[in-house]
């Protein structure tokens, strides 16, 4: 039987970042074969990561990168705050952001995600990522709420004052819309919301001939007004009390594209 020395265990640990006892057991199971031990540890790590995949990722980081005519945003989730500030986690988050910025897919780093999850012992997930390119007359603006960096936005606009576009990015992190416009909302969701409102005690207590009007009013204010970006009230009342769509039009700003992500 091959003797498993401390030097062998240290070499395997340096190569895989696995625990000392895990490395020793892997070497024992593989008869001291270094390559097979590495393979075994990775297989176990992948299995453990799969088990963790359903655990909530209530922490993490959101990053934005804008260079010349290209911008990217990426959100990486984890389970705890210490891990969200871990150097290995931050390096992975940065790599995802840069990969997306350069035109790649976050999914291309899946093996690294699994290995990192195994190493840190937490569920690590890419919560979202998007890349945008500027065309003539367009501008990219962004906002990340620091120092936690748990929510951020990237917007692509045309015309108007660039500062309004940056304010729009801030609005996104504050109001967090589900849809950009009414045309994006699935009709079945609208129908379901309308039915819920129609059956509410508040509506049923009103005369039957005005109930439909009340429902439509509530649908506009409570549903569209909260979940649709262009119909949300602009986040700064000192600047405008209009909805986002109207405010941007007044400022001569056309929204071309946007993305916002949050972790936790």
């Amino acid at each position: 039987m091959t003797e498993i020395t401390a030097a062998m265990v240290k070499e395997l640990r340096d190569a895989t970042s696995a625990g000392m006892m895990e490395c020793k057991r892997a070497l024992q199971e593989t008869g001291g074969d270094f390559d097979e031990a590495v393979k075994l540890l990775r297989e176990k790590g992948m299995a453990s990561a799969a088990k963790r995949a359903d655990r909530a990722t209530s922490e993490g980081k959101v990053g934005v990168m804008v260079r010349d005519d290209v911008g990217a945003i990426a959100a990486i989730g984890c389970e705890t705050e210490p891990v969200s500030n871990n150097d290995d986690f931050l390096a992975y988050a940065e790599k995802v952001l840069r990969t997306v910025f350069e035109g790649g897919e976050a999914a291309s780093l899946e093996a690294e995600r699994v290995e990192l999850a195994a190493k840190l012992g937490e569920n690590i997930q890419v919560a979202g990522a998007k890349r945008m390119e500027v065309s003539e007359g367009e501008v990219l603006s962004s906002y990340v709420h620091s120092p936690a960096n748990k929510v951020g936005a990237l917007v692509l606009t045309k015309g108007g004052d660039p500062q309004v576009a940056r304010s729009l990015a801030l609005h996104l992190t504050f109001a967090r819309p589900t849809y950009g416009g009414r045309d994006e909302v699935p009709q079945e969701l609208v129908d379901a919301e309308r039915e819920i409102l129609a059956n509410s005690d508040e509506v049923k207590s009103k005369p039957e001939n005005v109930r439909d009007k009340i429902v439509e009013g509530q649908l506009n204010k409570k549903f569209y007004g909260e979940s649709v970006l262009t119909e949300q009230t602009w986040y700064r009342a000192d600047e405008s009390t209009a909805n986002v769509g109207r405010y941007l039009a007044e400022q001569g700003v056309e929204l071309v594209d946007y993305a916002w992500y949050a972790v936790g």
Side-chain angles (χ1 to χ4, degrees), residues 137-141 154-169 171-172 229-230 234 239 243-258:
E138 296 175 349
V139 62
L140 281 164
S141 302
L154 179 66
V155 298
L156 181 61
T157 58
K158 188 173 184 178
D161 185 347
Q163 184 56 44
V164 175
R166 187 179 184 281
S167 292
L168 176 60
H171 172 95
L172 285 164
L229 173 60
T230 54
W234 184 250
E239 291 182 346
N243 62 33
V244 172
R246 189 176 303 115
Y247 178 70
L248 293 181
E250 291 171 353
Q251 298 298 316
V253 175
E254 177 188 348
L255 177 59
V256 179
D257 200 1
Y258 77 93

Side-chain angles (χ1 to χ4, degrees), residues 57-135:
T57 52
S58 56
E59 294 289 339
K61 297 294 181 185
V62 177
V64 172
M65 181 180 294
V66 177
R67 302 284 188 277
D68 298 324
D69 293 339
V70 178
I73 182 170
I76 315 300
C78 60
E79 296 178 46
T80 64
E81 185 177 1
V83 164
S84 75
N85 293 311
N86 174 277
D87 288 342
D88 290 329
F89 177 85
L90 293 174
Y92 171 72
E94 175 70 18
K95 189 169 185 179
V96 171
L97 178 60
R98 187 167 294 278
T99 296
V100 173
F101 177 84
E102 293 174 350
E105 298 288 337
S108 67
L109 302 174
E110 177 63 10
E112 292 184 42
R113 184 194 69 79
V114 171
E115 287 188 17
L116 182 64
K119 179 179 180 180
L120 299 180
E122 288 199 5
N123 183 18
I124 309 294
Q125 296 290 337
V126 178
K130 188 168 183 176
R131 180 180 189 271
M132 299 180 197
E133 285 190 36
V134 171
S135 296

